Amino acid sequence: MDLPNCKHLTFFGVHLNSLAGKCVGLVVIALFVGTVLLPTFSGLGGVIQHNNVVLIHNRSFPSNQAVKQKFLEVPQIVWGLNNQKIAFARACLTARMLNRTLLMPKLSASLFYKEVELLKPISFDKVFQFERFNSVCKGFAQLSRYSDVSNQSDVIELQKGSGRRWTLEKDFEQLTQFSKHPYDAHEIVRVVGKNPFLWHDHWPAKDYAKVFDCLALVEEISREADKVISKIREIGMEVRSKVLMSSSSSESVPYVAVHMRIEKDWMIHCKKLEQRLNISEICSSKEEIMARVGNIPGLKTPVVVYLAVADTLLEDDTVLNGWKDGLLPFEKKKLGVFEIYKKQPYIFQSAIDYEVCLRSDVFVGNSFSTFSSLVVLDRTQKMINMGDTKLCVSDVRWPSYAYNIRGMGDSPHPWVTNMSDTSLTAISYGTNHIAC
């Protein structure tokens, strides 16, 4: 850029004849351009977050123009733990689409399907690790606390549609609209009127898997799960020692976990589901489950079989009877860990059982159960993270089976999650089309 002719330099209408005056004028002009004009080009650079403010950093022209961080607020998340996990992931992915940070939601410590007013709210960070989530999910999804919001009154409400007329396309169109002006100017978008589990699903299974990968239980729950697993392996060690006539082993003693869905609420639900979908592979009797687990190919016995069952809803007190020789069934009371569960709220009890099933050497569940489906998704993702590519071979690292679907020789059918699914519908509502 050519400099002005110093002989006739004029600054705001005043002629500057002296050399010093001319220099002062040039400095003032430079400062004016740097502080007023250049920030308008800040979109050319990256973004730096400082406290609760996002600073746009221009790689060519540094600037400190402040843009408020924006948030998404969702209703209290309800129902079963794993329905809550799906709802949370759906809220995270919605926030990601809107280019917003999800405000830490309320989960539900108790389990009521219809009496919503009886649900006991519990903060997300009382169940899952807040800091770890943000660390692992950095660059993909993030959580914020309400204390991070600078103006909690700057809110626009987003009423989620419902009913048959509210289609997947209409829902996506609404979200796209709220990601643009003038809606995107508000600090908070507050979704009202619907549990996130019931929102339409616009994201592939692998995106959900990414969010689930960022979730880790708080130490209090994890320690309780450790106690249950240690007890299972301790009993397994005692049994193995008697059979092998050896008092010690350097190997971790394997165990089988069965998510045994035979409670009264499930049997009512699954029978209605079979009628509605015209599918006979949803409900399974106690006898059918026991027979199929006993026919798992290559299962080494004796082995402890942990039965993950909702004791308060179970009307059959004979679940420990009738198992094949070599299968040693245990539930909470026989295992001696009932007190660990009894003192905890529902959501903690379910989280402990989930960990016990997730970490089992062999898992057997029902493909129409959200609990079972998420355990298999986590186990599948775990194998993928370890570099496994052949997930349906007989010697897979962490085998899972669906007892409601018949496999070879009346065994439960091998089961892994199809990570190429374009949505999580199969996991949210169940399927008899499993990947293996």
Side-chain angles (χ1 to χ4, degrees):
M1 181 177 72
D2 294 330
L3 292 174
N5 189 329
C6 290
K7 290 181 179 180
H8 304 286
L9 182 62
T10 302
F11 183 67
F12 287 100
V14 179
H15 294 283
L16 301 177
N17 295 321
S18 68
L19 180 59
K22 294 171 184 177
C23 292
V24 169
L26 287 173
V27 171
V28 172
I29 291 172
L31 289 173
F32 175 80
V33 172
T35 58
V36 177
L37 299 181
L38 291 184
T40 61
F41 299 99
S42 60
L44 298 174
V47 178
I48 300 175
Q49 184 173 338
H50 178 68
N51 294 333
N52 301 327
V53 174
V54 176
L55 299 179
I56 307 298
H57 176 67
N58 184 335
R59 294 171 184 168
S60 301
F61 311 102
S63 123
N64 289 325
Q65 184 183 19
V67 177
K68 289 181 180 178
Q69 188 176 356
K70 297 172 184 176
F71 306 92
L72 178 72
E73 180 182 349
V74 300
Q76 179 181 346
I77 295 174
V78 300
W79 298 350
L81 170 65
N82 292 285
N83 288 338
Q84 292 187 51
K85 287 167 69 175
I86 291 175
F88 169 76
R90 197 156 288 165
C92 282
L93 296 173
T94 301
R96 174 179 165 83
M97 179 179 174
L98 297 178
N99 197 26
R100 289 175 176 269
T101 299
L102 180 64
L103 286 171
M104 189 168 63
K106 293 288 186 182
L107 304 179
S108 298
S110 51
L111 178 61
F112 289 92
Y113 288 98
K114 295 181 180 179
E115 299 89 346
V116 178
E117 68 278 2
L118 298 178
L119 289 167
K120 182 180 178 182
I122 184 171
S123 179
F124 171 90
D125 60 357
K126 298 298 182 183
V127 182
F128 299 104
Q129 296 179 37
F130 176 86
E131 298 296 344
R132 182 190 181 277
F133 179 88
N134 278 344
S135 174
V136 178
C137 260
K138 187 176 182 181
F140 187 81
Q142 291 288 276
L143 288 176
S144 281
R145 302 181 189 275
Y146 278 82
S147 58
D148 296 332
V149 180
S150 61
N151 182 4
Q152 295 194 18
S153 64
D154 184 13
V155 177
I156 185 168
E157 291 190 345
L158 187 161
Q159 179 71 51
K160 272 282 187 178
S162 61
R164 294 180 180 178
R165 293 184 179 181
W166 188 256
T167 64
L168 188 73
E169 292 74 22
K170 286 182 178 179
D171 189 80
F172 191 81
E173 183 181 341
Q174 182 192 50
L175 292 179
T176 302
Q177 185 181 27
F178 269 75
S179 69
K180 299 177 181 178
H181 183 78
Y183 306 100
D184 67 336
H186 294 275
E187 188 163 355
I188 299 176
V189 168
R190 175 181 295 149
V191 185
V192 295
K194 221 174 186 189
N195 170 28
F197 181 77
L198 298 176
W199 294 359
H200 284 286
D201 184 5
H202 305 290
W203 300 278
K206 63 181 180 62
D207 284 0
Y208 281 94
K210 172 62 178 175
V211 176
F212 296 142
D213 222 16
C214 301
L215 290 174
L217 294 171
V218 295
E219 287 298 321
E220 178 186 353
I221 304 177
S222 186
R223 282 195 299 269
E224 300 295 77
D226 290 341
K227 294 176 185 177
V228 176
I229 294 171
S230 294
K231 189 67 175 177
I232 293 172
R233 296 198 188 278
E234 178 186 325
I235 292 174
M237 176 70 76
E238 292 174 359
V239 172
R240 174 171 286 193
S241 297
K242 292 177 182 178
V243 172
L244 300 179
M245 303 300 291
S246 173
S247 60
S248 65
S249 173
S250 59
E251 296 181 1
S252 177
V253 178
Y255 70 94
V256 177
V258 180
H259 183 217
M260 201 169 186
R261 294 250 51 187
I262 57 172
E263 307 92 343
K264 58 185 178 182
D265 67 321
W266 170 259
M267 298 310 291
I268 293 171
H269 166 73
C270 75
K271 287 174 182 177
K272 289 181 179 178
L273 200 58
E274 284 188 336
Q275 293 174 355
R276 188 168 74 248
L277 300 179
N278 194 26
I279 296 175
S280 61
E281 295 180 319
I282 301 178
C283 300
S284 292
S285 67
K286 176 188 68 175
E287 292 75 19
E288 184 177 63
I289 296 171
M290 290 190 298
R292 289 188 174 170
V293 171
N295 289 328
I296 293 175
L299 185 63
K300 295 180 180 180
T301 58
V303 64
V304 172
V305 179
Y306 176 74
L307 306 180
V309 61
D311 307 80
T312 57
L313 298 173
L314 185 64
E315 295 182 323
D316 188 344
D317 58 0
T318 65
V319 293
L320 300 179
N321 303 332
W323 289 83
K324 185 177 178 179
D325 286 346
L327 300 183
L328 311 172
F330 283 82
E331 38 72 69
K332 300 173 184 65
K333 290 181 180 178
K334 183 180 177 183
L335 193 62
V337 296
F338 186 69
E339 290 303 316
I340 293 177
Y341 287 84
K342 187 178 179 181
K343 65 183 181 181
Q344 304 289 356
Y346 151 76
I347 196 170
F348 280 33
Q349 294 179 22
S350 184
I352 294 170
D353 258 359
Y354 188 90
E355 279 296 299
V356 175
C357 290
L358 178 63
R359 294 193 236 164
S360 64
D361 298 271
V362 178
F363 172 71
V364 191
N366 189 299
S367 66
F368 281 84
S369 161
T370 306
F371 181 104
S372 293
S373 295
L374 281 191
V375 169
V376 174
L377 182 148
D378 271 348
R379 289 167 71 89
T380 302
Q381 186 64 35
K382 188 177 176 182
M383 288 188 285
I384 292 173
N385 290 343
M386 293 293 290
D388 293 352
T389 56
K390 296 179 179 179
L391 303 179
C392 291
V393 295
S394 58
D395 59 346
V396 68
R397 195 187 304 244
W398 291 290
S400 299
Y401 298 88
Y403 57 66
N404 59 302
I405 303 175
R406 182 174 180 173
M408 296 291 291
D410 199 32
S411 65
H413 200 289
W415 183 11
V416 298
T417 301
N418 181 7
M419 290 299 186
S420 63
D421 269 354
T422 56
S423 76
L424 208 70
T425 302
I427 290 169
S428 301
Y429 300 103
T431 180
N432 61 349
H433 299 291
I434 52 182
C436 286

